[in-house]
Amino acid sequence: RAIVGLGLVVAGVIKGATGLGYSSCALPFLVYAVGLKTAIALVLLPAMATNIAVALGNGHLNETCRTFARLYMAMLPGIALGLWLLAQVDSDIAVRVLGVSIMAYVMFTLTRPQMILPPRLSQALQIPVGLTNGLLTGLTGSQVMPMVPYFLAHDLAPARIIQAINLGVLMASAALAAGLATSGVADGRVLGASVIAIGPALIGVEMGRRLQTHIPAALLKKAILFILAIAGLGLMLR
């Protein structure tokens, strides 16, 4: 329980200080304590709580939904397929895929290649990106790849990009919660624990916001990505 609580708080601190994805930060810690399937269910509600305000609060909700509707809708069958695979494959394989996904996220965030998608290619990639992101979400619980690189490759204001990413994460979390509840993985006990986990997550977010004022953001982000890289490598080598 101590490891689970620490993982929830630490992920909140990371989210509050740097804006990095809550689920991707929490899952490496929780997998070691409770296994992948329980960890995915446990982080659902805290992840949704940390993303609701960002996704809904900057006044461009309708426009963002219209612009990226095909991507968001494509995530749904992808999540269904990912959940089916999660039930079929060996859990060690899913854990290793999570490790690869986290490592890819770390490498992308560190290098942050400067690329802008032309409008026609942006439209063409929405369904493949949504399906792939949904597949990885259902299989691993991590909701950032390849959605985050896709949105960052758009010539949009930073607030719009953050909203688009967080809206996608929020929708994926809701669909994942429904799928896990239907399959029986997220039973009443696990969902109750997920509700309780919202508290540590929000405490961590507030701690992260305060920490941000005392430590240079660039240094803090690199340190956190280094820790995530070690965690992701550990999952890959399990």
Side-chain angles (χ1 to χ4, degrees):
R1 290 184 180 180
I3 295 176
V4 172
L6 179 63
L8 293 168
V9 172
V10 168
V13 171
I14 296 171
K15 178 72 175 181
T18 68
L20 295 176
Y22 182 85
S23 295
S24 296
C25 295
L27 282 168
F29 298 100
L30 300 184
V31 165
Y32 286 104
V34 297
L36 179 61
K37 290 184 180 180
T38 302
I40 291 173
L42 193 58
V43 301
L44 279 174
L45 297 183
M48 291 174 70
T50 58
N51 283 284
I52 285 174
V54 178
L56 306 181
N58 76 354
H60 298 281
L61 179 61
N62 290 336
E63 184 178 355
T64 300
C65 288
R66 284 197 305 270
T67 303
F68 301 110
R70 291 194 296 164
L71 185 150
Y72 295 140
M73 295 304 295
M75 286 195 299
L76 300 179
I79 289 172
L81 178 59
L83 285 170
W84 180 82
L85 286 174
L86 181 63
Q88 304 301 316
V89 304
D90 187 285
S91 60
D92 287 341
I93 295 175
V95 168
R96 291 190 183 101
V97 174
L98 172 61
V100 171
S101 179
I102 289 173
M103 289 294 292
Y105 179 46
V106 169
M107 295 305 298
F108 175 82
T109 305
L110 284 174
T111 57
R112 188 69 182 275
Q114 296 299 313
M115 54 183 180
I116 299 295
L117 290 174
R120 182 174 297 179
L121 184 57
S122 170
Q123 289 294 319
L125 286 175
Q126 282 200 34
I127 291 177
V129 168
L131 283 170
T132 304
N133 205 90
L135 174 64
L136 291 175
T137 295
L139 180 61
T140 71
S142 180
Q143 304 155 337
V144 295
M145 296 297 289
M147 181 175 66
V148 169
Y150 171 83
F151 281 130
L152 289 174
H154 286 75
D155 187 20
L156 297 172
R160 291 286 310 283
I161 292 175
I162 292 172
Q163 182 190 48
I165 292 171
N166 280 270
L167 183 60
V169 170
L170 181 59
M171 294 177 65
S173 297
L176 188 57
L180 290 172
T182 301
S183 66
V185 174
D187 56 22
R189 180 181 58 84
V190 175
L191 287 177
S194 188
V195 171
I196 295 172
I198 293 174
L202 294 180
I203 290 172
V205 169
E206 183 58 29
M207 291 170 60
R209 286 173 178 163
R210 297 185 181 186
L211 182 66
Q212 192 179 38
T213 63
H214 300 288
I215 300 177
L219 176 62
L220 183 63
K221 194 167 189 176
K222 287 181 180 179
I224 289 168
L225 288 170
F226 179 72
I227 294 170
L228 281 179
I230 293 175
L233 184 61
L235 294 175
M236 291 169 58
L237 298 177
R238 279 186 58 170

